Amino acid sequence: MNPSRKSVRRFSVATAAGLALTVGCIATPAAAVEPSPKPATAGVQLDYLDRGLVAAGTPGGVFLSWRLLGHEATGSTATGLTGTDFAVYRDGQKLATVTDSTNYLDASGKATSEYDVRAVVGGVELDRSATATSWSGNFKDIPLKKPADGVTPKGEAYTYSANDASVGDVDGDGQYEFVVKWDPSNAKDVSQVGYTGNTYVDTYKADGTLLHRIDLGVNIRAGAHYTQMLVNDFDGDGRAEMMFKTAPGTKTVTYNPDGSTARESFISLPTEDVAAGYANTDDYRMSAADYYEHMVATFRGWHDHPEVKAGNWPATLEEAFGIAPQYQYPLSRTDAEAVTNYFMDVYAPSRSARNNLRAFEGFILSGPEYLTVFEGATGKELKTVSYEPGRHDDGLMWGDYAMSRIEPGNRVDRFLAGVAYLDGKKPAAVFARGYYTRSTLASYTWDGTDLSPVWNVDSGWTPMTNPFNDGPHGRDGTDPVFGKLTTQGFHSLSASDVDGDGKQEVVYGSATIDDDGSLLYSSFDTMPPQSATPGEEARLGHGDAMHVTDIDPDRPGKEIFTVHEGGIWAPYGYAMRDAATGEVLFGEYSGRDTGRGMIGDVDPDVRGIENWAIGMQSADGDKLSTTSPGTNMSIKWAADMTTQIVNGSGNQTPTIDDWKRGRLLTAEGTRTNNGTKGTPSLVADVVGDWREEMLVRTADSSALRMYVSTEVTQHKLYTLMHDPQYRAEVARQNTSYNQPSYTDFYFASDMDFSHVPLRAAWLPGSVKALQQTLEDLVDSGDVAGPVTGQLTASAQQAAKAVNDGDASKAGQAIQRFAGFLVQQKKKDEVSDLARTMLDYQARNILRAFEG
C-alpha cells in the first residue's frame, strides 16, 4: 500500500482528531504563536525531509526505524535528545508511544503488516507518516538499468558496473532520490594509459524508476579522479540540483514509461566556443599518433614558451635533456621529429623503465572544459560555464614531465569537489584542480539562474629550473599569499567550521581555506633526525585519507587526523592536528608512504575517538595497539553509538565488523567499488533513525542494495542529515578517494547529548508543507470562515517570498499567519486540533528565522 501524500495527510487529520477525542489528548488549545523579533536571514538551509519510516523483517519480528527531524529536538537527557515523541501504529491499531528513541521492534509483526508513526506534540498526534510494509530482511534493492557495453577506438570491449552514489531530494517530496555513477570496466587512474568508456550519471526513485541519465560523453575520461558529482539543493527551492565537470558531447537522456529513449539533449556550448568552431560532436581523445604530433608541435614551439623566453627554463631542448647542442631554433619539422623520437625512445626510458610514451593514448588534453548545473528531477541543463582554471597545457607546467615517471595529463587532471556553507546559511559548491604542484580551488553559489563565483584560490605555478628533470613537489607556488598551498592537497576535501565563527572552512588536506577564501593556515613541522632533511621545516604534505570532526572531547574545538605519503621527505606518516590552527598535536614519522588511516569510536572503554594508521592511538595520542581495524570505510551502525568498519574489496563480499564484537553483517551477493579502496557506493543516514545505511551494488549491478541496522537502540538523535557538516560531507563523499562523513559535534558512545547543537534550520519545503496542511484542514472543516482566506493568503505570500529568495518577507508572512491563527472572530472557526497542527508548523518555520 502506497497512498498518495494527499491521502496520507487527510487520513492523518481525521485519525488524529478521533484519537484526540478518544484518549482526551486535547484539553485546551495549544499556546498561540507569539510575535518574535523581525526576521532577517533564515537559519542554515538543510533538506526538508519526511519521517523516513522503514520496516525490516528480523528473526525477532518487524523492526521499525524513523527520523527525528532537527527542528523537533528541544533538549537532552543522558541517553539522547528530547522533543517530539512518536505513536507507532500497525494496521491502524496503536502499538506504543516511543519517547526514548526513534525505533521499535514489533515482535508480533508480520510481512503483510502496514505501519505508520505519528508525531506526538502537546499530547496531540500529528503528521502521520507514509505507510511502510516490511522488507523481507534488513535490506532493500533499488533496481538499476545498466548501460550497454561498448568498444574503444582500438576495438577493446568494455562493460559497466555501478560505482559511487549520492542522494538528494530532486522533486521536493521529502524523500531522497539516488544518483548513481556508472563506471566502465576500463576506467583509469589519471596516471594510467588507455582509452576509457563513457561515464554515466543516473537518477533513480527508490522504486527503481530511472528519471534520467546524463552521458558525460567521450571528452570526459572515466575514473575516480575525473568526475566528482555534487548533489544538493543549492538554490533553496526544496529540490536538489547536480553539478559536475562536463565537456562538448555531454548530454541528458530522458525515457518513456516503457524504458525507451524519449529525448536526448546536449549541453549548450558557450557562444564564444561555438564561434571558435567547437561542437558537441567533437572527440578530443588522443591516440598514440596524436600524442606524437602533439610533442612535435610542443618542441617546434619551444623557443617561444613563456618560461623559456623568461630564462626560467633551458633555452634548448638539448640542454633540458643533457645532450650536446645540435639543432637550430625554432626547430624545423624534421628536427622536431628527431627530438621527439629521442625524447620518447631514449630520454624517457632512461628516466624510468615504466615510461613508454609510444603507447600514450586515451587522454583528453585539449578542448573546452565546463562546469554544468543540472536540474535534479529532469536532468535538464540549467547553466554551463567554463571550468576554472583550465588545464593550460598537457601537464608540462604542472610538473607532469619533471619527475622520473613522466605522466602527461596526471597532475593537471586531479579534480576535487565539495559542498560548504561558506556564509553559514546556504550551501556553496567548491571545485578544485591540482594538489601536488599548482593547487587551485573555486567556489560558486547557485540561485536558480546564475552560477556566481564566491572566491578563487590559486597557489600559482610551482617554479622549475627544468620541466623535464626537476622535483617540483614541496616547493612554494609563485602566488605570494597561496604559494604554500602546493603539495598540501589530498584526494578529498572537507567542509567544517573549524574556527567556531558559524561559517564553514574548506579543509584542503594539510591546509585550510577560510570561509572568505583567505588562507587560514598551511601546516608545516620540523623534520626528524631519521628523515632526509633533519631539522628543516617541511610541509605535512599530501596524503590519501583525512578525517575532520571533534575527535577529542576533552580539548576545545575540532581535530583533523591525516596520513601522509611523503616518506623520508615528510615529517609524519600520520598526524593529529588542531583544526583551527593547523598545529600538530601528535604524530609519528614513518619514512614511507602511509597510505591508509581511519578514526572511529571502536573501543567504548577508551575516552574519545580512536585513530589508527601505524597501530592505534587514543584521541590524545596514547598508543593502544600495534594492530588496528580496517580502513576502507567506517559506518555508524551499532545501537551503542560506537563505530564499525566496512571491509571487503574487489570480488570479496563486503562485511560490517565491530572491533569488539566481531562481524555484524555479511552483505552476500554485493560488491564494493574502487579497487583496493573497497568503498561502498555510499554510507549515509538515508532513511530511518540516526544510524547510517550502507549502499552497495549487487554483484551484477542490477540493483543498488541499501542495508539498514536493525539493532534496537535507546539513544535518540535527530537525523544526521540535519547537521550541516554531515550533510556537506555526504555530498562530497564520492570525491576521488571516498572518505566517511562526520558530524559537527562529538559523536561517540560516551557523547554528552547536551553538547549536540539544537539547530533551527531553514527547510525549504516547510512553507509548502504548511500550505498542504492548511488545505487539508479546510477540506475537513477544521478551518472555516473568513480566517480561511487570511491564512491562505499569508501562506501564499510566504511561499512566493521563499521562491524569490527573500527570507525576511517569508518570515513576516508567517508571522501574519500566526496572528490570524489566534484571532477569535465570531465567524471564524479553527478547531483545537487545527490550531495545534498549524501552530506547530508555524513555530518551526519561525524558529528557522530566529535561529
Side-chain angles (χ1 to χ4, degrees), residues 320-375:
F321 299 148
I323 58 178
Q326 52 188 303
Y327 302 112
Q328 296 293 320
Y329 290 80
L331 293 177
S332 66
R333 167 80 192 191
T334 300
D335 287 347
E337 288 179 349
V339 173
T340 301
N341 292 333
Y342 175 82
F343 172 67
M344 288 187 168
D345 298 333
V346 180
Y347 182 78
S350 73
R351 298 276 287 156
S352 170
R354 298 174 66 180
N355 291 335
N356 180 13
L357 298 182
R358 291 286 183 183
F360 187 85
E361 64 184 1
F363 288 79
I364 297 100
L365 301 179
S366 63
E369 302 174 285
Y370 304 127
L371 175 61
T372 300
V373 185
F374 296 93
E375 186 173 69

Side-chain angles (χ1 to χ4, degrees), residues 152-235:
T152 70
K154 287 192 69 174
E156 302 159 328
Y158 56 88
T159 60
Y160 279 92
S161 60
N163 192 255
D164 294 334
S166 191
V167 292
D169 181 6
V170 304
D171 53 12
D173 65 355
Q175 301 174 11
Y176 283 126
E177 279 70 49
F178 300 86
V179 179
V180 179
K181 178 165 74 84
W182 290 94
D183 264 2
S185 54
N186 58 1
K188 309 287 187 186
D189 183 85
V190 288
S191 63
Q192 295 175 338
V193 173
Y195 290 96
T196 73
N198 293 15
T199 296
Y200 298 98
V201 177
D202 288 359
T203 300
Y204 295 89
K205 298 287 287 184
D207 64 1
T209 299
L210 175 57
L211 298 179
H212 54 81
R213 168 169 290 165
I214 297 174
D215 175 359
L216 271 67
V218 298
N219 295 312
I220 296 289
R221 211 164 183 250
H225 295 283
Y226 294 101
T227 295
Q228 328 300 341
M229 54 187 189
L230 298 185
V231 183
N232 211 284
D233 178 11
F234 290 99
D235 59 3

Side-chain angles (χ1 to χ4, degrees), residues 437-453:
T437 56
R438 183 186 178 191
S439 302
T440 69
L441 299 92
S443 61
Y444 303 87
T445 57
W446 170 252
D447 65 2
T449 302
D450 293 318
L451 194 60
S452 303

Side-chain angles (χ1 to χ4, degrees), residues 547 549-553 558-561 576 599 608-609 619 746:
H547 312 277
T549 188
D550 187 356
I551 297 172
D552 186 347
K558 299 175 184 175
E559 294 77 34
I560 302 171
F561 181 73
M576 183 77 74
I599 67 170
I609 296 175
Y746 176 69

